Amino acid sequence: MNATIRPYDMVKRGIDVVVSALALAVTAPIQAVVAVLVRRTLGRPVLFRQQRPGRGGEPFLLIKFRTMRDADPARGLVSDADRLTRFGAALRRTSLDELPTLWNVLRGDMSMVGPRPLLMQYLGRYTPEQARRHEVRPGITGLVQVSGRNSMSWEQKFAADVEYVDQRSLALDARIVLRTMRVVLRRDGISADGDATMPEFKGAAS
């Protein structure tokens, strides 16, 4: 599944280390405030941790700020829409929930730019072409996030992911980062129609 290593891939890793380290230092006060607010509104744990597939489909532990209540069928907290709090939705709209993910970039699990890491159970549902999204490290932002985000269909998302794998370069990454800033400010495509986030991917026909 691994793609041929390009010279840019090695340069990109150096950029990721420098940028993520600086970003962690700069955002430390913001993350401290968000952590306190998450603790007060949602309780413990403050951080959401979940295994996600990285480069080559190898699992790693993704870290984000928690935005949802624990599932509790007795209280009607089952779906993402039920569990997502107003505060959690605000964190997602502003992408503040993603700040701890900078640690994943610094560790080498992820990159600043690349296909978003989805769920482990999706690995067996991809077509061979869709599975190519795992030829590179997953990213905090990517081509999908600046092309419609959760308003796109799964097929459109995976096509954009593979396009990124084939076209990746410093210039493309720079454009994606700049467009990401605009998307975050405009809060575009945060959820799919009728869903709090995005419906489950059930296979190539989804």
Side-chain angles (χ1 to χ4, degrees):
M1 184 180 289
N2 290 346
T4 301
I5 300 297
R6 302 178 184 177
Y8 173 58
D9 293 328
M10 293 179 282
V11 173
K12 182 177 183 177
R13 178 60 192 145
I15 294 172
D16 283 338
V17 170
V18 172
V19 172
S20 60
L22 288 174
L24 281 167
V26 170
T27 63
I30 299 173
Q31 293 200 50
V33 171
V34 173
V36 170
L37 293 175
V38 172
R39 175 67 178 86
R40 288 182 176 177
T41 58
L42 292 170
R44 295 179 179 175
V46 169
L47 295 176
F48 169 80
R49 295 178 174 89
Q50 187 180 58
Q51 272 201 340
R52 296 289 178 92
R55 189 170 186 266
E58 292 298 316
F60 71 95
L61 199 63
L62 177 74
I63 306 172
K64 298 172 63 175
F65 279 121
R66 184 180 172 200
T67 59
M68 293 186 179
R69 302 182 184 94
D70 292 331
D72 187 348
R75 296 170 56 199
L77 301 177
V78 179
S79 69
D80 286 353
D82 296 329
R83 297 167 55 208
L84 184 64
T85 65
R86 183 176 299 179
F87 172 68
L91 288 183
R92 291 190 175 201
R93 284 195 302 271
T94 56
S95 296
L96 289 173
D97 63 317
E98 304 274 0
L99 290 178
T101 311
L102 290 165
W103 284 107
N104 288 120
V105 178
L106 188 62
R107 285 164 48 91
D109 302 321
M110 295 178 61
S111 176
M112 295 300 296
V113 181
R116 287 286 295 173
L118 299 176
L119 300 177
M120 293 298 298
Q121 59 262 37
Y122 290 0
L123 286 177
R125 303 175 188 178
Y126 297 131
T127 65
E129 180 69 6
Q130 291 170 346
R132 292 192 58 223
R133 68 192 309 277
H134 295 294
E135 291 179 2
V136 298
R137 286 187 179 92
I140 291 181
T141 188
L143 193 55
V144 168
Q145 282 61 50
V146 299
S147 303
R149 205 172 174 181
N150 283 337
S151 64
M152 301 169 70
S153 69
W154 282 116
E155 288 72 19
Q156 291 171 325
K157 285 185 172 187
F158 296 143
D161 288 340
V162 173
E163 179 183 348
Y164 174 80
V165 170
D166 289 337
Q167 302 297 328
R168 66 190 188 276
S169 67
L170 179 59
L172 178 57
D173 282 3
R175 289 198 298 271
I176 289 173
V177 169
L178 290 174
R179 290 170 62 186
T180 297
M181 296 177 185
R182 183 175 62 186
V183 167
V184 170
L185 290 174
R186 294 174 57 183
R187 302 175 183 178
D188 292 336
I190 295 169
S191 61
D193 290 342
D195 289 271
T197 52
M198 187 71 186
E200 179 182 357
F201 174 63
K202 296 182 179 179
S206 295

